[in-house]
Amino acid sequence: MGLFLLKRLATLVLTLLGTSVVVFLVLDILPGNAAQMLMGPDAAPEAVAELAQQLGLNQPAWERYTHWMTGLLRGELGDSYSYGSPVLDLITERLALTVPLAVLAMALTVLIALAAGIYAAANHNKWGDVGVMGLAQLGIAIPNFWFAILLILLFSVRLQWFSAGGFPGWTEAAGGSPGAALKALLLPALSLAVVQAAILARMTRSAVLEVLREDFVRTARAKGLSRRAVLFGHVLRNAMIPVLTVMGLQFANLLAGTIVVENVFYLPGMGRLIFQSIANRDLMVVRNCIMLLAAMVVVVNFVVDLLYAVIDPRIKAHDI
C-alpha cells in the first residue's frame, strides 16, 4: 500500500506542476493589458506603463512564474488588480458557496442516479427499464442553464416557493441562515444534477447488468440467495469501480463548471468571480482561481484512485 500511495502522490505532484505551467503560459500570452483595463482606454501611455511596473507586469515571464509559485507554496496569492483586496480572501469567500453547491449537486446526482440505475438494471427489458432510460436520455439532452431557467419559471415565478436568485449567506451576521442558504442553493444544485444524474444512471445500469452476468452471481443464486440479496450484497460492490470513475469526473466537473448556473441564479461563487475577473482582465485572480479548480480536479481523481484500491485490492496489487 505504501508504494501504491507513493506513486499516486508523485503523479499528483507532477500533474499539479504541469498544470501550473500550462495555466501560466496560456494566461500570460493572452492579448490585452491589465494596466490598460484598469486605467481605461483614454489613459496616457506613461500612466499605463507606470501602473504595469507597479503590478510587476513588465517582469520576465519566468520571474513572474517563480514569484507566483513561491507565493502559492506560502499561501500568498497576491492582491487583485480590480478588487483591491487579497486574492486568497476573495477565493475563500466564494468557495463558501461553490463547494457546498457542488457537494449538494453531487449528493442529488448520486441519490437519483443510483436509484434509477439499479432499478433499471433490476427490471432489465421491462417497462421500468425503458422508462428510466428514456428519461435519462432526455436528461442528457437538456442543457443545465436551460433547465435552470425552467426551474426559476416554475418554482420562483409561478409557485413562488424559492427565490429567483441571490444568496442570503450562511450566518445571521451575513443576513441569512443555514436553512435559507441551503434553500437558495437547492434549485441551482438540481439544475446541475439533472444532466450528471442521467449520465451516471446509464453507467450504473450498464455496470450492474455486466456484473449480473458473472458466474459468481449465478452461484450465489444457486445457493438460495434472493435476487435482492445478491444485488445489494455482491453485485453493487463489484459494479462500483466504473461508477466511481464517472462520479469522480462528475464531481470535478461540478466544481469547475458552475460558471453558467451561478450567473443564471446570480450567485456570488467562484464562477461569477472568474467571469468578472476575465472581464476586468484581472489575471491575478483568474490564474489562481483556475489553478485552484485544476488542483481540486486532480485531488478528486487522486481520491478516486485510492477508493479503487479499497473496493478492489487487485488493482493495488497489479499497479505495484
Side-chain angles (χ1 to χ4, degrees), residues 45 87 126 233 264:
V87 176
K126 297 180 180 179
V264 171

Side-chain angles (χ1 to χ4, degrees), residues 20-292:
S20 69
V21 173
V22 173
V23 169
F24 180 83
L25 289 178
V26 169
L27 293 178
D28 193 67
I29 63 177
L30 284 176
N33 189 313
Q36 184 72 62
M37 181 69 70
L38 292 173
M39 297 292 292
D42 300 327
E46 295 81 7
V48 173
E50 182 178 354
L51 180 58
Q53 184 175 2
Q54 293 176 3
L55 298 176
L57 301 177
N58 60 337
Q59 298 175 352
W62 67 267
E63 188 173 342
R64 297 201 304 275
Y65 175 77
T66 303
H67 180 72
W68 176 46
M69 290 303 297
T70 53
L72 283 178
L73 295 176
R74 294 196 304 264
E76 299 173 359
L77 308 185
D79 295 331
S80 167
Y81 303 154
S82 55
Y83 289 93
S85 59
V87 176
L88 183 59
D89 293 345
L90 289 173
I91 292 178
T92 302
E93 179 184 355
R94 302 306 178 94
L95 282 178
L97 186 148
T98 297
V99 172
L101 174 60
V103 171
L104 181 57
M106 194 66 219
L108 292 174
T109 297
V110 172
L111 288 175
I112 297 171
L114 291 185
I118 294 171
Y119 175 80
N123 296 274
H124 183 49
N125 287 335
K126 297 180 180 179
W127 282 111
D129 181 22
V130 175
V132 169
M133 288 301 99
L135 290 175
Q137 192 65 36
L138 181 62
I140 294 174
I142 295 177
N144 53 21
F145 71 88
W146 182 76
F147 187 65
I149 295 174
L150 292 183
L151 291 177
I152 291 174
L153 290 175
L154 176 61
F155 292 104
S156 300
V157 177
R158 180 175 292 273
L159 299 178
Q160 297 184 356
W161 291 354
F162 297 89
S163 171
F167 185 68
W170 293 102
T171 62
E172 294 182 1
S177 65
L182 286 175
K183 184 177 180 181
L185 294 181
L186 186 57
L187 290 186
L190 184 59
S191 65
L192 287 170
V194 166
V195 175
Q196 306 299 335
I199 297 172
L200 188 59
R202 293 179 65 89
M203 174 58 69
T204 302
R205 173 184 177 274
S206 299
V208 171
L209 286 177
E210 184 176 351
V211 177
L212 281 173
R213 300 187 183 101
E214 296 291 338
D215 292 338
F216 75 88
V217 175
R218 287 192 289 269
T219 301
R221 291 283 289 153
K223 288 183 177 180
L225 292 178
S226 66
R227 183 176 178 85
R228 181 184 181 87
V230 171
L231 180 63
F232 289 97
H234 298 276
V235 173
L236 280 183
R237 180 184 178 95
N238 292 277
M240 281 304 292
I241 290 180
V243 174
L244 270 178
T245 302
V246 177
M247 287 172 59
L249 294 174
Q250 286 183 324
F251 185 62
N253 180 57
L254 288 173
L255 285 170
T258 59
I259 295 178
V260 175
V261 170
E262 286 183 359
N263 277 278
V264 171
F265 287 93
Y266 205 73
L267 298 174
M270 284 284 290
R272 281 190 60 81
L273 178 62
I274 294 174
F275 183 81
Q276 293 168 348
S277 299
I278 291 174
N280 295 330
R281 188 62 183 168
D282 195 341
L283 290 186
M284 186 67 71
V285 175
V286 176
R287 184 184 299 147
N288 285 292
C289 287
I290 293 177
M291 186 61 202
L292 176 63

Side-chain angles (χ1 to χ4, degrees), residues 295-317:
M296 288 180 174
V297 172
V298 174
V299 170
V300 168
N301 290 328
F302 172 75
V303 173
V304 170
D305 283 344
L306 296 184
L307 289 177
Y308 286 168
V310 173
I311 293 175
D312 190 351
R314 294 173 299 174
I315 295 177
K316 177 178 62 179

